[in-house]
Amino acid sequence: MSVARTAFAILALAAIVFLAGCGADPAFTSGKVYLQQENYTNAIEQFKIAIRNDEMAWEPHMWLGRAYADTEELQMAHDEFFLALDLAPDQKASDAIDNTITSYWQKFQQEGNLLNSASKFVDAILEFEKAIVIDPRKPDAYANLGYAFHMNMDYDKAIEAFEAALSLAPGNEDLVTNLVSVYDSKAGNMAVLGDLENALRYYEKIEGIAPDTKDIHYNIAETYYGLKDYREAIVSYERSLVVDGEDEYVLYRVFLCYWGITKKLEDEGMPELAIPELESALNPLERLAELNPEDLSTHRALARVYNKLGRTEEAMLELGIVEELLQQQK
């Protein structure tokens, strides 16, 4: 009887081992052991064997992604992680894969943040780019990458990074603020280089995403003025005056725009079309005279406009004010 019982026990043990073997791939198990030992070459080889053994199994892909990530073969790691996500049979599996992806993303993200804080922007850029390769779905790495590029004065790449971040987190106020800042830097740089058309393009981008940005209408108007597009300049100067209707510099610029349009029409042999423009030029000048009645340039300009309009009496009155002011200054 004892022999029979022993034989039965051996058969039962064999059955258990056999059943366990059905549910576990030795190559997959070996791969995890090699990975724990940091023997990446053998780990990768074993995970690939496990994948060939079962092309629909998600776990070997996830672990192969880990092996690639640990050796900074990041694009290959990304491909395996997201293939595993595609194969995940349920939410639990998806969460496990996402947690694994996030752990590597956080590693590079945190290193990049430390380097940003130390003003080591070139090195920080490399870390944020690694994070993005691992997981391009998260806006934070793009935002921090944009900051590093901005501080490194690489405005084009900073814009690209912030725009990518904003596409992933539409309406995020911090991202909008940062993007406005880099657009402004780019526009200012273009203006200094004399490339007013591109400067205008970036100012208008600011207007598109943050129309209440301080001085944006003024900056657009000044750029149009530099381009001698006086019509468009007036539109933006007027928008600026909605914010501050007593800005004397802007009011005088509006006058100069109308004056410029007038001169152009006269040069083109259309003096009759210049009359409405001259009449419009009076509005900002008269407002300036109210705000600062002792400003000589305003009264001189009024005299010129009245004279061109044939309003001689009013022109003489303005010249009299100029003479009186000059006498007071002696």
Side-chain angles (χ1 to χ4, degrees):
M1 292 293 295
S2 61
V3 173
R5 283 198 297 270
T6 302
F8 180 80
I10 291 171
L11 288 171
L13 180 61
I16 291 170
V17 172
F18 176 76
L19 289 172
C22 289
D25 186 329
F28 177 54
T29 303
S30 297
K32 289 195 288 185
V33 172
Y34 282 129
L35 187 61
Q36 187 176 20
Q37 296 171 347
E38 299 184 2
N39 186 339
Y40 299 111
T41 300
N42 284 336
I44 289 169
E45 181 183 353
Q46 291 301 308
F47 290 137
K48 286 181 176 180
I49 292 171
I51 289 168
R52 287 198 295 272
N53 290 341
D54 185 354
E55 294 181 356
M56 300 305 295
W58 62 273
E59 285 184 290
H61 286 288
M62 185 188 77
W63 283 82
L64 179 56
R66 291 184 58 174
Y68 282 137
D70 287 345
T71 54
E72 296 211 2
E73 295 284 353
L74 301 182
Q75 186 57 56
M76 297 172 77
H78 165 93
D79 293 345
E80 294 301 326
F81 285 145
F82 282 84
L83 183 52
L85 275 176
D86 289 340
L87 295 171
D90 51 40
Q91 190 60 49
K92 183 177 179 181
S94 293
D95 289 344
I97 300 161
D98 268 324
N99 289 338
T100 299
I101 294 170
T102 299
S103 68
Y104 285 101
W105 180 88
Q106 286 176 336
K107 171 189 171 184
F108 299 125
Q109 173 81 340
Q110 288 167 1
E111 184 62 27
N113 285 334
L114 290 173
L115 291 165
N116 256 355
S117 298
S119 299
K120 296 180 179 179
F121 302 117
V122 173
D123 293 331
I125 286 166
L126 295 175
E127 296 302 316
F128 293 129
E129 287 177 337
K130 291 176 185 177
I132 289 167
V133 172
I134 284 291
D135 191 350
R137 302 170 300 175
K138 295 179 171 65
D140 289 2
Y142 290 101
N144 291 328
L145 177 64
Y147 174 81
F149 275 130
H150 193 184
M151 293 299 99
N152 207 41
M153 293 190 292
D154 191 336
Y155 302 128
D156 290 332
K157 289 184 178 178
I159 287 168
E160 183 180 342
F162 279 126
E163 286 180 341
L166 196 59
S167 72
L168 293 168
N172 182 285
E173 292 183 5
D174 290 337
L175 290 176
V176 170
T177 298
N178 279 289
L179 191 51
V180 164
S181 178
V182 72
Y183 280 155
D184 188 63
S185 295
K186 178 69 175 179
N189 190 49
M190 292 292 96
V192 167
L193 294 173
D195 188 353
L196 295 181
E197 289 184 354
N198 270 319
L200 179 63
R201 183 162 66 91
Y202 286 103
Y203 282 134
E204 289 179 335
K205 281 177 176 284
I206 295 174
E207 187 181 36
I209 64 171
D212 294 330
T213 300
K214 188 177 184 298
D215 293 333
I216 185 56
H217 300 304
Y218 169 80
N219 289 333
I220 290 173
E222 285 285 273
T223 309
Y224 274 123
Y225 186 86
L227 290 166
K228 297 185 178 180
D229 188 341
Y230 299 124
R231 292 279 184 212
E232 291 295 336
I234 289 168
V235 171
S236 289
Y237 280 133
E238 293 289 354
R239 287 174 179 166
S240 180
L241 287 169
V242 170
V243 178
D244 181 3
E246 297 185 356
D247 189 320
E248 294 181 25
Y249 178 87
V250 172
L251 285 166
Y252 198 75
R253 283 296 220 196
V254 173
F255 153 67
L256 289 176
C257 286
Y258 282 117
W259 188 260
I261 293 169
T262 297
K263 294 293 291 179
K264 186 172 185 295
L265 289 169
E266 289 176 343
D267 291 344
E268 292 173 352
M270 295 180 285
E272 69 284 354
L273 296 180
I275 293 173
E277 308 300 337
L278 285 167
E279 290 172 344
S280 295
L282 286 173
N283 296 327
L285 288 175
E286 289 170 349
R287 180 62 179 144
L288 279 168
E290 292 174 6
L291 292 169
N292 189 358
E294 297 183 357
D295 183 68
L296 283 167
S297 61
T298 298
H299 293 290
R300 284 172 174 154
L302 277 167
R304 288 198 301 273
V305 175
Y306 283 134
N307 188 55
K308 273 187 167 292
L309 287 170
R311 294 162 63 171
T312 307
E313 186 176 337
E314 290 161 294
M316 293 303 294
L317 179 62
E318 292 300 326
L319 289 174
I321 294 172
V322 170
E323 288 296 323
E324 184 179 337
L325 290 171
L326 287 171
Q327 287 296 324
Q328 291 174 3
Q329 292 176 7
K330 288 183 179 180

